[in-house]
């Protein structure tokens, strides 16, 4: 087996991204359950809260006939004080076919990937990346727009959002026009420019006439330094998405969970007809099936 991994969008070429997306969309359109001949053992280690990602990885494994083994923090020896590396060595000694990991520390999936030959999928590392979310977002975009090069806006807490970082890498790799809308306190402008120096920055939601898609992000309360909580209230005042911002009728995305009335108003969240938020959740399962097959090829 080739030593494949998805710890970052950097691990994938544009060709890999397209073939994973094609596979996911094919899975979505296929009515049959796809069972692989040889069951594989997929370990899911989630050391931060998760609803969509854990369940969709578990469903994806089961849809392919694999064994999905969930290890959560409370049940692992990490909660007894075992060091992170010792726990990883223990898990890797059981020779899973794939290790899926979510951790609060940036780059831990990459480090585990270096310590072992077992393929690793990053299910979100701190503020750094969440590559499978970006891949599933791309599948939803591709289903609607095919390969047309549309204009995509990403708005909110860019600085602390691993979803934003992976999406910006992926969309840059595929040549999309990216608009970033964020207040300076939620922006890591220099880092973004290193990824793509053609990104167009906006200070508010009022000037977004030509976007085809607007992706809102969750304000990452748990990652905002203590003492800076007033960012939340000023963000809410200036950036909470209302119908008046959507006159041009772009499609709306959000990786979830949403902070209602902080990044999206109740009215938009409950009634906006071009919302793709639940389609993103649905695509999550098919995309993760495609990622498992890619990595096990
Ligand atoms: N569910 C996504 C993540 O784990 C988005 C979020 O939590 O804001 O990063």
């Amino acid at each position: 087996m080739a030593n494949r991994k998805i710890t970052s969008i950097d691990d994938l070429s544009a060709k890999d991204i397209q073939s994973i997306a094609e596979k996911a969309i094919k899975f979505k359109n296929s009515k049959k359950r796809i069972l692989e001949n040889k069951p594989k053992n997929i370990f899911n280690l989630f050391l931060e809260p998760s609803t969509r990602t854990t369940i969709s990885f578990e469903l994806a494994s089961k849809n392919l006939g694999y064994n999905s083994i969930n290890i959560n923090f409370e049940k692992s020896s990490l909660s007894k004080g075992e060091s992170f590396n010792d726990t990883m060595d223990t898990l890797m000694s059981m020779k899973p076919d794939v290790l899926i990991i979510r951790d609060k520390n940036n780059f831990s999936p990459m480090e585990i990937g270096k310590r072992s030959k077992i393929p690793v999928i990053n299910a979100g590392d701190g503020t750094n990346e969440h590559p499978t979310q970006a891949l599933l977002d791309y599948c939803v975009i591709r289903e609607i727009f095919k390969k047309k090069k549309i204009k995509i806006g990403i708005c909110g807490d860019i600085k602390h959002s691993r979803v934003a970082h992976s999406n910006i890498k992926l969309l840059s790799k595929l040549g999309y026009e990216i608009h970033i809308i964020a207040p300076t306190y939620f922006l890591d402008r220099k880092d973004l420019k290193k990824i793509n120096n053609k990104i167009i920055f906006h200070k508010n939601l009022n000037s977004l006439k030509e976007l085809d898609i607007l992706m809102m992000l969750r304000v990452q309360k748990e990652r905002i330094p203590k003492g800076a909580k007033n960012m939340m209230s000023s963000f809410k005042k200036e950036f909470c998405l209302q119908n008046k911002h959507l006159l041009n009728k772009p499609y709306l995305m959000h990786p979830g969970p949403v902070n209602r009335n902080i990044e999206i108003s109740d009215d938009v969240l409950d009634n906006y007809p071009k919302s793709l938020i639940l389609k993103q959740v649905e695509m999550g399962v098919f995309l993760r099936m495609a990622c498992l097959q890619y990595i096990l090829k």
Side-chain angles (χ1 to χ4, degrees):
M1 190 209 307
N3 187 15
R4 292 187 166 196
K5 54 186 170 48
I6 309 181
T7 57
S8 157
I9 292 296
D10 299 333
D11 294 334
L12 304 170
S13 65
K15 204 169 147 219
D16 293 329
I17 293 170
Q18 296 295 8
S19 82
I20 292 172
E22 272 154 33
K23 191 51 143 295
I25 293 168
K26 222 171 169 181
F27 278 139
K28 185 171 174 237
N29 295 331
S30 143
K31 301 276 171 286
K32 306 182 279 189
R33 252 188 112 200
I34 301 104
L35 295 183
E36 299 282 340
N37 308 333
K38 213 173 149 247
K40 306 275 186 189
N41 294 320
I42 315 296
F43 282 16
N44 299 315
L45 179 62
F46 278 75
L47 302 173
E48 269 200 332
S50 166
T51 307
R52 295 154 194 77
T53 312
T54 345
I55 296 176
S56 62
F57 266 119
E58 194 174 346
L59 269 174
S61 300
K62 291 188 171 160
N63 285 349
L64 292 166
Y66 298 156
N67 302 318
S68 170
I69 293 121
N70 295 326
I71 314 137
N72 62 26
F73 176 78
E74 282 77 26
K75 288 190 190 143
S76 76
S77 290
L78 281 166
S79 68
K80 295 184 188 165
E82 186 173 57
S83 79
F84 185 79
N85 284 343
D86 289 346
T87 300
M88 289 311 127
D89 290 343
T90 305
L91 293 177
M92 294 310 200
S93 313
M94 293 180 212
K95 307 264 183 299
D97 292 287
V98 180
L99 175 72
I100 296 161
I101 176 161
R102 166 169 293 188
D103 189 33
K104 67 175 188 323
N105 295 313
N106 290 14
F107 305 112
S108 51
M110 292 73 174
E111 264 141 43
I112 299 162
K114 278 188 217 142
R115 286 167 69 87
S116 153
K117 287 219 154 54
I118 288 164
V120 176
I121 299 182
N122 178 1
D125 62 320
T127 59
N128 180 42
E129 276 210 54
H130 192 351
T132 61
Q133 176 72 44
L135 285 163
L136 78 86
D137 291 341
Y138 173 62
C139 293
V140 173
I141 296 169
R142 192 179 141 157
E143 258 210 319
I144 298 172
F145 290 99
K146 311 295 177 230
K147 288 190 183 168
K148 192 172 159 208
K149 288 291 178 285
I150 53 165
K151 297 179 181 170
I152 302 180
I154 306 180
C155 172
D157 182 1
I158 311 283
K159 186 175 180 175
H160 304 106
S161 168
R162 52 199 180 200
V163 173
H165 298 144
S166 284
N167 261 306
I168 291 166
K169 282 189 179 176
L170 186 151
L171 296 169
S172 302
K173 207 167 239 191
L174 300 186
Y176 284 86
E177 182 175 306
I178 303 174
H179 295 251
I180 296 291
I181 311 110
T184 48
Y185 49 85
F186 280 162
L187 202 55
D188 39 1
R189 197 187 263 256
K190 266 200 202 137
D191 295 339
L192 301 187
K193 284 199 157 167
K194 272 189 225 146
I195 301 172
N196 178 348
N197 60 14
K198 294 197 190 111
I199 292 176
I200 302 156
F201 292 92
H202 303 261
K203 288 201 173 73
N204 57 52
L205 281 162
N206 302 326
S207 56
L208 305 170
K209 303 244 159 36
E210 306 141 51
L211 293 184
D212 298 290
I213 293 195
L214 175 60
M215 184 184 292
M216 298 299 294
L217 300 169
R218 183 176 68 88
V219 174
Q220 307 279 300
K221 293 183 211 168
E222 70 280 28
R223 305 187 207 281
I224 297 175
K226 284 197 188 85
K229 293 277 178 202
N230 54 344
M231 286 175 185
M232 287 280 282
S233 50
S234 48
F235 179 83
K236 178 179 161 166
K237 246 188 251 148
E238 277 188 79
F239 289 88
C240 181
L241 190 68
Q242 320 276 341
N243 280 311
K244 66 175 185 199
H245 301 125
L246 295 165
L247 299 179
N248 195 44
K249 300 275 176 272
Y251 283 95
L252 173 63
M253 300 179 82
H254 189 297
V258 176
N259 291 310
R260 279 181 176 261
N261 299 312
I262 293 181
E263 62 259 0
I264 306 185
S265 65
D266 279 341
D267 191 20
V268 170
L269 195 59
D270 296 332
N271 303 312
Y272 187 59
K274 291 183 81 177
S275 168
L276 299 173
I277 297 173
L278 294 178
K279 288 217 177 317
Q280 291 171 265
V281 179
E282 186 193 7
M283 188 60 89
V285 177
F286 303 111
L287 177 274
R288 285 167 179 129
M289 287 168 73
C291 287
L292 287 170
Q293 276 205 340
Y294 164 85
I295 219 163
L296 288 165
K297 207 161 30 182

